[in-house]
């Protein structure tokens, strides 16, 4: 019996999370359910896709990641179940899986069509309860992926603008999102550097034109309240403030321009 | 060993939830504890009663639902433990159980009086820790309901105004609460319709006098940002906005008037 | 296999909590992980120390409490693992453990230095993932505390101003924090009283000079909306409002002066 993680935008005020957990435990009483987050901003598929991409690799084989941010519920969008790196993802086909899909080779990807693994009645507004939770529970119990529906190689894809490097080796990227600590997380991966170590040591980082100094090693490299740039724990360049909130100190957030030059 | 769900208004900033979980695990180390919500608005018994009513039916037999919203803690209000549909509910006698109690036949209802299943010292401000968590843990370990105290057939009841249908078959109801997505959840159950299918197909829904069209099947039946009425996942009429927040777009919330005519 | 509790300031919007849980389950697949809170205000070590102190005693022997509020991550601050009352605490050495440390005798306290129990790569910004989660998981699996690093008897200490009693037996204290319900929790322990029962019965409580009456037994001792003083569930004097929020009604919060005289 493997475990099931949950990523949703359901919040924690209502009954939605409790209902999904009830469905799961009714089908798979011995499964372990792990809350990753229920506080994805409502309908924000991109945020959920980021969280999924950054969390899933840390889990053991056969973990089932159930990710439900589903503004298109009840429309004709499909529901997908995929196997990546020995783990499973269950989610609506709205791009939520696509960042994982582009990062590692897909082992199997299926469209959920077999009603035998859904609840007897399927509502038009809560497929997390009626389809995705039951599918995740049956997967965790060992049901073969092939049994859920036909294979597919098509899925909706989220477009994330890549960072660019120009002839002067200036890297230009953007802030993808702001985390709970007010850190600005960019699309500049640490592997983006083509310059040599020496050159990188001299590089300065600019946020909307404002210099925040070179790339530091840790928050404590600057005084409390001062901004800095560093490689965050997910290997992307982040703009932070030591013991403060970059989003407030620098007065900018998602889609701000970040340059390394 | 069954599982215990938690519904509280304790929030997640303080130690209260952690303390209750510690008490439960000290008594029943093998029990599985499932968070439904700790974000019931403070002291809002009605909101907790809604969440309990909508979540509990999805759980397997012998689940223990521990629901603690307890503004009367320390007063003479009783603590109840009831068996409904093969599951258990532990809660203060302030109406929290009453929506479940009115929906299904009660199998057994007891007033918690046996101090043997409480902590040795009972404070005046935290019966969730001192009484209800230990009772839930002992129930999950298999203690017989009869052992907790005397049977009763009296409990505090929350009054929820029913919707009405007049001679012209106009149904008039009200918004009971607003969910995390800004949906307006009404007291109009899908079984409230007495008119025929044909008549229903022509019916229009009005919120505080403003028409939001006929009853739709799913959010995607209207354009993004547009309001609509549909039967929500709990079988009550809801007013929503496709990919938006009805509470903001329509500028009304709990106790707004909703008509179907 | 014991259980691991989590106290962090990671919030629940991002992937951080999910990542830590993934690391734990990859190392110790059978461990039970219990969320105490992820909503410690960002970087607020004192708040986390309060929550830890108030929650840990309710857990069974061998529980591992993993507490990560770590503004100094990446600097030279140490990471500690201690044994208190038969349970374990893993936390950065920034005072987070110190309230527990001063309340009960330490059985063993170690500086985490053995890289064998950390992830292969240790980032500069997320030791919760790279060091503390793996250490907690190995502890829960039964690894001996001695194996994690050298013993120490030095740790960072949070200074909490004690309450004082003057010649007239007036007790003067302060509000330490405001809880989710708007209760003002003070540093005046119920054992602070030196006066006799009779004298205490006459004592009045003042908040920033405003009298809120004698020490009551429970919220219902005053009318709804009225302020009162009582001994809270953690045995400290608290200022509350029956079914309301003292922080709003009395318009004061942390560091307000509280007198009993």
């Amino acid at each position: 019996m493997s475990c099931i993680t949950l990523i949703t935008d359901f919040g924690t005020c209502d009954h939605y999370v409790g209902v999904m957990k009830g469905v799961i435990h009714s089908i798979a009483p011995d499964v372990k359910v792990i809350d990753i987050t229920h506080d994805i901003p409502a309908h924000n598929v991109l945020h959920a896709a980021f969280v999924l991409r950054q969390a899933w690799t840390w889990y053991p084989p056969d973990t089932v990641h159930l990710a439900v941010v589903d503004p298109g519920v009840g429309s004709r969008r499909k529901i997908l179940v995929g196997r990546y790196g020995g783990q499973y993802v269950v989610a609506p086909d709205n791009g939520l899986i696509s960042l994982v899909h582009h990062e590692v080779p897909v082992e199997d990807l299926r469209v959920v069509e077999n009603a035998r693994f859904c609840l007897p009645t399927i509502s038009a507004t809560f497929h997390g309860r009626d389809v995705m939770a039951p599918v995740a529970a049956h997967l965790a119990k060992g049901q073969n992926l092939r049994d859920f529906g036909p294979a597919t190689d098509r899925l909706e894809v989220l477009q994330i603008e890549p960072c660019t490097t120009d002839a002067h080796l200036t890297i230009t990227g953007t802030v993808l999102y702001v985390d709970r600590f007010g850190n600005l997380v960019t699309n500049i991966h640490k592997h983006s550097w083509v310059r040599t170590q020496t050159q990188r040591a001299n590089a300065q980082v600019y946020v909307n034109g404002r210099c925040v100094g070179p790339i530091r090693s840790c928050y404590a490299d600057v005084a409390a309240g001062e901004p800095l740039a560093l490689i965050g724990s997910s290997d992307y360049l982040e703009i932070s403030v030591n013991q403060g909130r970059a989003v407030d100190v620098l007065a900018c957030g998602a889609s701000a321009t970040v340059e390394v030059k």
Side-chain angles (χ1 to χ4, degrees), chain A residues 44-57:
Chain A
N44 193 329
V45 175
L46 180 61
H47 190 108
F50 282 137
V51 169
L52 174 62
R53 180 185 65 183
Q54 296 186 339
W56 80 278
T57 56

Side-chain angles (χ1 to χ4, degrees), chain A residues 150-254:
Chain A
T152 185
D153 56 3
R154 298 180 62 171
L155 78 171
E156 292 293 318
V157 168
L158 297 172
Q159 299 296 345
I160 298 186
E161 200 186 358
C163 66
T164 59
T165 304
D166 70 12
H168 304 288
L169 297 182
T170 293
I171 302 172
T172 303
T174 189
V175 174
L176 291 182
Y177 67 95
V178 180
D179 79 2
R180 128 77 154 200
F181 296 99
N183 298 316
L184 313 178
V185 183
T186 76
N187 63 345
I188 304 177
H189 194 273
K190 71 174 181 183
H191 290 151
S192 306
W193 279 273
V194 292
R195 57 188 71 191
T196 67
Q197 277 299 128
T198 317
Q199 285 173 304
R200 190 193 305 158
N202 294 326
Q204 302 286 312
V205 178
Y206 296 79
V207 183
N208 278 355
R210 172 175 170 177
C211 184
V212 295
I215 297 173
R216 313 282 189 171
S217 297
C218 74
Y219 304 122
D221 282 348
V222 301
E226 289 299 314
L228 76 156
L230 46 59
I231 303 299
S233 58
S234 302
D235 294 337
Y236 285 84
L237 186 71
E238 295 184 16
I239 315 300
S240 301
V241 162
N242 184 18
Q243 297 173 51
R245 296 176 58 78
V247 67
D248 299 330
V249 170
L250 299 174
C252 63

Side-chain angles (χ1 to χ4, degrees), chain A residues 12-14 18 65 97 104 116 119 170 178-179 211 224 244:
Chain A
T12 48
C13 285
D14 301 309
H65 301 283
I97 297 185
V104 295
R116 186 155 68 91
L119 295 192
T170 293
V178 180
D179 79 2
C211 184

